[in-house]
Amino acid sequence: AAVGCYAQLKPQALADVNGVDLVLGATEKFKITDYLNDLSKNDFGEVHSCEIEEADFYVGSYSIGDRTRAFLKVQDGCDYKCTYCTIPLARGISRSDTMENVLKNAREISAKNIKEIVLTGVNIGDYGKGEFGNKKHEHTFLDLVTKLDEVEGIERLRISSIEPNLLKNETIDLVAKSRAFVPHFHVPLQSGSNHILKKMKRRYMRELYVDRVAKIKEVMPHACIGVDVIVGFPGETDDHFLETYNFLNALDISYLHVFTYSERDNTEAATMDGVVPNNIRSKRSKMLRGLSVKKRRAFYESQIGTNRTVLFESENKEGYIHGFTENYVKVKTPWNPALVNTLHQVELTEIDEDGLV
């Protein structure tokens, strides 16, 4: 059974893949058991796919795959119209879980002795919108993090990825003073050139991004800041790319997630002029990945000699146990099964040849 964005966007292409028996769209996937009972063994996949306008309700969920952290989904869909993105076509309008259900799920997770919860959504800073199946809402993202911080038993809360225009000062201040929220932000930028940001129809200019980074570092100097960036967008000249490179190089950030632009059907960008050749896209991607390595290394070096709390994970990797500090430094120490899924105060001493602390 195939579900997810691709199943909604290109159900027939997916149904033709060898071995696929069932393709379920954005609303059908929640009724998967209804379709399993009468599934015949065809040579092709059966497709059940809605019009995306019908995806207007919210189903709460969380995943608890690896015992040390859980992913708690609080929001789905997106009302933004970025010119490169098919998510609104694949996931529908922005809508949220109710506050009481999010808190109930958080309590259930902590009752399973899971130490860290990562909040996820498609556009998480938009939380609150669509709580009642329409645009009315009582709560905001700030309300959500405020309430979650009060839930007993949760040791750590991490915000996954949040748009710079939706990351408000109040939220940053709350995280800085919080009991459970960790000093780690992942904030998509996509381009360091205002010209390209406008073509992408992003909802901010680079100046706002500088403000967000400065605010985070002002109240949490040791915070980890990750950045999403796209290279090779239509019309991105060498000058625009260098603008992005120099912008990121000068910013006090910790690592990059680099995406090479790829055309998506039914998006505005797919019809734009100024297509960047693939070999140039990959060259730019390589340059930014190199910058990311440099940034992460500098961030790790700035943390040496400090005391941090590490949540250890369950795998024995070549005689070592790994974990992350609250500010997302990856650390390792000789394998000891007693450390699995426990939090410990440690001193960060050195960076090993594999780049871990």
Side-chain angles (χ1 to χ4, degrees):
V3 302
C5 292
Y6 196 55
Q8 178 66 32
L9 292 170
K10 300 271 178 85
Q12 208 47 60
L14 207 43
D16 295 341
V17 172
N18 191 21
V20 172
D21 299 300
L22 183 62
V23 178
L24 300 177
T27 62
E28 289 77 8
K29 64 185 176 188
F30 297 112
K31 307 193 286 266
I32 188 165
T33 49
D34 300 357
Y35 297 105
L36 292 179
N37 298 330
D38 58 17
L39 199 55
S40 51
K41 198 72 182 148
N42 298 323
D43 295 332
F44 54 87
E46 283 181 30
V47 173
H48 301 277
S49 187
C50 64
E51 291 302 315
I52 196 60
E53 291 70 34
E54 294 165 33
D56 59 359
F57 57 90
Y58 187 86
V59 178
S61 60
Y62 56 84
S63 76
I64 46 173
D66 70 354
R67 293 198 325 189
T68 49
R69 73 174 55 83
F71 292 87
L72 172 57
K73 187 173 158 190
V74 299
Q75 184 275 342
D76 203 349
C78 188
D79 293 340
Y80 287 9
K81 299 284 183 283
C82 301
T83 54
Y84 52 80
C85 185
T86 52
I87 282 177
L89 304 173
R91 302 301 279 262
I93 58 168
S94 179
R95 53 207 189 275
S96 310
D97 205 352
T98 61
M99 180 74 83
E100 101 198 84
N101 200 47
V102 172
L103 296 174
K104 176 181 85 70
N105 284 343
R107 289 188 193 100
E108 278 175 24
I109 293 167
S110 78
K112 292 177 164 65
N113 194 30
I114 290 168
K115 303 280 193 271
E116 181 176 307
I117 295 178
V118 183
L119 298 183
T120 67
V122 171
N123 186 358
I124 194 174
D126 218 16
Y127 175 82
K129 203 186 266 185
E131 274 179 283
F132 307 108
N134 52 26
K135 289 295 172 217
K136 284 203 198 74
H137 58 94
E138 271 172 33
H139 300 107
T140 63
F141 185 67
L142 179 63
D143 296 336
L144 176 75
V145 291
T146 306
K147 285 274 185 239
L148 278 168
D149 200 37
E150 294 163 4
V151 176
E152 280 175 33
I154 302 173
E155 304 266 0
R156 267 189 184 181
L157 286 155
R158 201 178 288 277
I159 299 165
S160 57
S161 177
I162 182 164
E163 294 282 305
N165 51 304
L166 295 173
L167 177 56
K168 305 289 191 237
N169 282 346
E170 295 81 1
T171 305
I172 296 170
D173 285 332
L174 179 122
V175 171
K177 296 197 280 278
S178 154
R179 175 192 68 80
F181 276 94
V182 295
H184 174 205
F185 294 87
H186 193 91
V187 190
L189 169 69
Q190 310 311 14
S191 175
S193 155
N194 281 342
H195 173 75
I196 298 293
L197 287 173
K198 282 181 189 147
K199 287 190 75 173
M200 290 176 164
K201 292 197 176 160
R202 301 292 285 159
R203 298 193 172 197
Y204 53 86
M205 293 287 105
R206 55 186 257 166
E207 290 73 16
L208 175 92
Y209 201 91
V210 174
D211 282 355
R212 300 298 76 209
V213 171
K215 171 66 183 172
I216 292 167
K217 287 293 187 177
E218 176 200 330
V219 293
M220 290 168 275
H222 61 297
C224 178
I225 303 175
V227 184
D228 286 342
V229 59
I230 294 171
V231 296
F233 188 80
E236 184 187 61
T237 62
D238 284 348
D239 285 351
H240 294 134
F241 171 70
L242 283 173
E243 217 183 323
T244 295
Y245 186 94
N246 294 330
F247 180 71
L248 288 165
N249 194 23
L251 266 186
D252 193 0
I253 53 159
S254 317
Y255 64 90
L256 305 172
H257 283 173
V258 184
F259 299 89
T260 304
Y261 171 75
S262 61
E263 286 75 4
R264 293 283 187 267
D265 292 345
N266 303 317
T267 59
E268 221 179 300
T271 61
M272 286 180 182
D273 297 337
V275 173
V276 178
N278 283 333
N279 62 327
I280 293 177
R281 293 185 207 184
S282 57
K283 188 177 137 194
R284 289 175 185 170
S285 167
K286 214 176 198 166
M287 282 177 70
L288 282 183
R289 284 172 207 274
L291 180 62
S292 180
V293 170
K294 200 178 96 175
K295 286 285 186 184
R296 192 184 298 264
R297 177 84 192 193
F299 176 61
Y300 280 12
E301 282 174 356
S302 75
Q303 297 302 301
I304 297 298
T306 63
N307 288 310
R308 296 279 171 244
T309 307
V310 175
L311 173 58
F312 286 104
E313 295 171 2
S314 55
E315 217 178 321
N316 181 346
K317 290 187 181 166
E318 295 168 2
Y320 284 94
I321 186 168
H322 291 176
F324 283 96
T325 63
E326 66 275 33
N327 61 341
Y328 213 56
V329 173
K330 192 170 186 182
V331 301
K332 64 179 199 180
T333 198
W335 169 255
N336 173 358
L339 293 176
V340 170
N341 197 30
T342 58
L343 287 148
H344 290 272
Q345 275 278 321
V346 303
E347 187 190 346
L348 305 182
T349 53
E350 62 181 338
I351 301 177
D352 213 355
E353 62 271 10
D354 57 6
L356 302 188
V357 178

